[in-house]
Amino acid sequence: MSGASVLVVGAGPVGVVAALAAAQAGFRVTLCEAETAIDSSPRASTTHPSTLELIDRLGLIERFMEEGLVARKFQFWDRPARRLIAEFDHAALAGETRFPFVVQTEQHKLARMGLDALARHSDTTVRFGAPLTGLVQDADSVTAALGDGETVRADWMIGADGGRSTVRKLLEIEFEGYTWPERFIVLTVLDDYAALLGCCLRNYLADPEEWTNLFKVAGDDGAGRWRAVFPTRPDESDADALSDDGAEARLQRALPFDRRYRLVHRNLYKVHQRVAARFRSGRVFLAGDAAHVNNPIGGLGLNFGIHDALDLIDTLRAVALEGADARLLDRYERRRRPLNIEFVQLQTVANKQRLEEKDPAARRARLDELAATAAYPRRHKQFLMRSSLIDAVRKAATID
């Protein structure tokens, strides 16, 4: 085992993946999390082919697929007309990836299985209930102060502590971008939208009044459940949006049903499009939501964060363990920041605009374009190469 060490702040999926990859590479690893347990609230779940390749590299793919749902296709619908506009099939990527499909596995499951794998590495320490309160660095190391007064020293630090990142704030790095005026509400039901609507496991429903995303996850019990995502009105109160009647009214507008939906969970959150001005400050790096946040339409944020983690560990290994020139460390920011803007920020904004378009002529043109893209094999594949982040991975490899 090398003497080189990495301190990872944040035990969400990106932090756990970074810690596991670092341990597998030969680093001594400390993983610190402010909360006392993994956050199991419904959050990101769609994992794209390019990310499945990385999960396979970590040795987690079999369990990851067992605990999720394989989804080969996704669909776009005109919600007011209840009409299918376009269907995309990842089978078109069969020659480009070993995983021509997505897997719907909730992010807390990835964190849990990563922690299980990390526990098999002897030179690792995992600390829950250990919030970061300060950090100092010099030419050789980073020292973190934790909430209990303890300090932890490491050669490198990775801030993977979410959109409100303490690491980013302590480094005084600007989080450039904006917050959408509406919030997103997620309603989880036990009713089967595939049977009710005739849709597949991932669906985007365009509507100028209230778009909806519908996708199925396995749930911790493996029995399956559906998440419906909606925008709120900017003037709508939290209490109204989250109320039983408010939630039921939204579900009924999305798809009228002859009885009340079996609602089992609801969540309301603000939505941002932001990118950190820098992804590196000396021996400290940002990854995942600490470095970039975006609206979830298309399921790109967590995927890109996992790509961050593996790219960063590969870079640190080359410098710290294999003797590469330290100037290589700047490659991480050269790759990750512009690629996030190009493949995540621009794409998720476009995805949202496509669903919410209000001008009748522009709306018709957007939906017609989608239908034409799906209908022609070459364009169909190009769309999937971008939406699955395969193009982003290949472009990253060209940036030295």
Side-chain angles (χ1 to χ4, degrees):
M1 175 67 66
S2 164
S5 57
V6 173
L7 169 62
V8 181
V9 180
V14 172
V16 170
V17 162
L20 178 58
Q24 291 176 344
F27 288 94
R28 289 183 292 109
V29 176
T30 302
L31 173 62
C32 294
E33 166 58 45
E35 302 300 323
T36 57
I38 292 293
D39 182 357
S40 61
S41 62
R43 300 182 68 186
S45 62
T46 299
T47 310
H48 290 294
S50 57
T51 312
L52 295 174
E53 301 269 0
L54 301 180
I55 292 172
D56 184 36
R57 168 181 154 182
L58 294 170
L60 303 177
I61 194 65
E62 291 185 8
R63 181 177 169 187
F64 190 80
M65 293 178 66
E66 286 173 1
E67 295 189 20
L69 301 172
V70 173
R72 211 181 81 187
K73 300 176 181 180
F74 63 101
Q75 296 173 339
F76 289 90
W77 290 73
D78 180 345
R79 190 178 103 165
R82 300 285 187 270
R83 181 169 66 94
L84 177 63
I85 298 298
E87 178 177 87
F88 289 89
D89 187 344
H90 285 89
L93 301 178
E96 307 292 344
T97 175
R98 290 174 293 123
F99 302 99
F101 44 79
V102 305
V103 178
Q104 299 285 105
T105 304
E106 300 94 319
Q107 69 173 46
H108 66 271
K109 294 180 180 179
L110 175 59
R112 287 173 182 167
M113 62 186 76
L115 286 173
D116 288 346
L118 192 62
R120 295 192 287 271
H121 291 266
S122 60
D123 211 357
T124 63
T125 302
V126 178
R127 296 275 309 277
F128 281 90
L132 178 74
T133 58
L135 71 87
V136 294
Q137 59 176 316
D138 56 32
D140 301 311
S141 66
V142 184
T143 301
L146 304 181
D148 60 3
E150 184 183 356
T151 59
V152 178
R153 181 181 178 278
D155 296 311
W156 313 97
M157 176 186 286
I158 299 172
D161 51 340
R164 298 185 179 93
S165 173
T166 300
V167 175
R168 189 187 65 243
K169 292 173 182 176
L170 289 172
L171 294 172
E172 299 183 340
I173 295 175
E174 286 234 19
F175 210 22
E176 300 171 344
Y178 59 90
T179 300
W180 294 99
E182 70 273 43
R183 291 149 297 159
F184 284 15
I185 184 167
V186 182
L187 303 176
T188 304
V189 302
L190 299 179
D191 309 275
D192 186 2
Y193 278 110
L196 295 173
L197 182 61
C199 60
C200 65
L201 301 187
R202 289 178 61 215
N203 307 275
Y204 303 94
L205 282 60
D207 188 328
E209 300 303 322
E210 188 179 52
W211 54 262
T212 309
N213 296 338
L214 300 174
F215 54 97
K216 188 176 183 180
V217 295
D220 285 338
D221 58 6
R225 58 209 59 206
W226 283 79
R227 292 186 191 163
V229 184
F230 306 85
T232 66
R233 300 183 305 276
D235 61 348
E236 188 173 10
S237 71
D238 290 5
D240 286 345
L242 291 169
S243 69
D244 289 346
D245 288 345
E248 181 65 20
R250 275 199 160 85
L251 293 166
Q252 291 289 347
R253 287 195 297 270
L255 185 63
F257 198 17
D258 59 7
R259 60 172 173 78
R260 290 183 74 89
Y261 281 87
R262 292 176 291 165
L263 180 65
V264 295
H265 188 272
R266 66 199 88 187
N267 187 31
L268 182 68
Y269 58 94
K270 291 182 179 180
V271 185
H272 314 272
Q273 303 284 161
R274 296 184 183 275
V275 182
R278 292 176 290 136
F279 282 23
R280 179 194 176 200
S281 177
R283 289 178 168 265
V284 184
F285 300 82
L286 301 178
D289 284 0
H292 46 76
V293 292
N294 53 272
N295 82 69
I297 302 172
L300 296 175
L302 174 58
N303 284 266
F304 198 87
I306 293 171
H307 294 206
D308 288 345
L310 273 294
D311 197 339
L312 177 53
I313 296 304
D314 286 346
T315 303
L316 288 176
R317 181 184 64 215
V319 172
L321 305 181
E322 298 171 358
D325 192 295
R327 288 177 294 184
L328 185 67
L329 295 170
D330 290 330
R331 184 184 68 183
Y332 175 71
E333 183 173 307
R334 286 199 301 270
R335 284 181 172 177
R336 307 315 303 166
R337 191 174 190 280
L339 289 177
N340 183 268
I341 293 169
E342 178 180 356
F343 287 94
V344 177
Q345 301 299 323
L346 294 178
Q347 192 163 319
T348 54
V349 170
N351 289 345
K352 182 175 182 291
Q353 291 172 338
R354 181 190 292 121
L355 296 184
E356 69 188 7
E357 180 60 64
K358 295 185 181 299
D359 179 82
R363 181 172 190 270
R364 188 165 53 251
R366 286 181 185 272
L367 297 182
D368 287 348
E369 174 69 14
L370 262 181
T373 299
Y376 291 94
R378 183 170 174 272
R379 293 174 64 185
H380 189 123
K381 181 176 179 180
Q382 286 175 335
F383 187 94
L384 290 170
M385 290 287 287
R386 183 173 179 83
S387 68
S388 65
L389 295 176
I390 293 175
D391 279 347
V393 170
R394 293 181 179 178
K395 187 167 184 177
T398 69
I399 302 173
D400 295 325

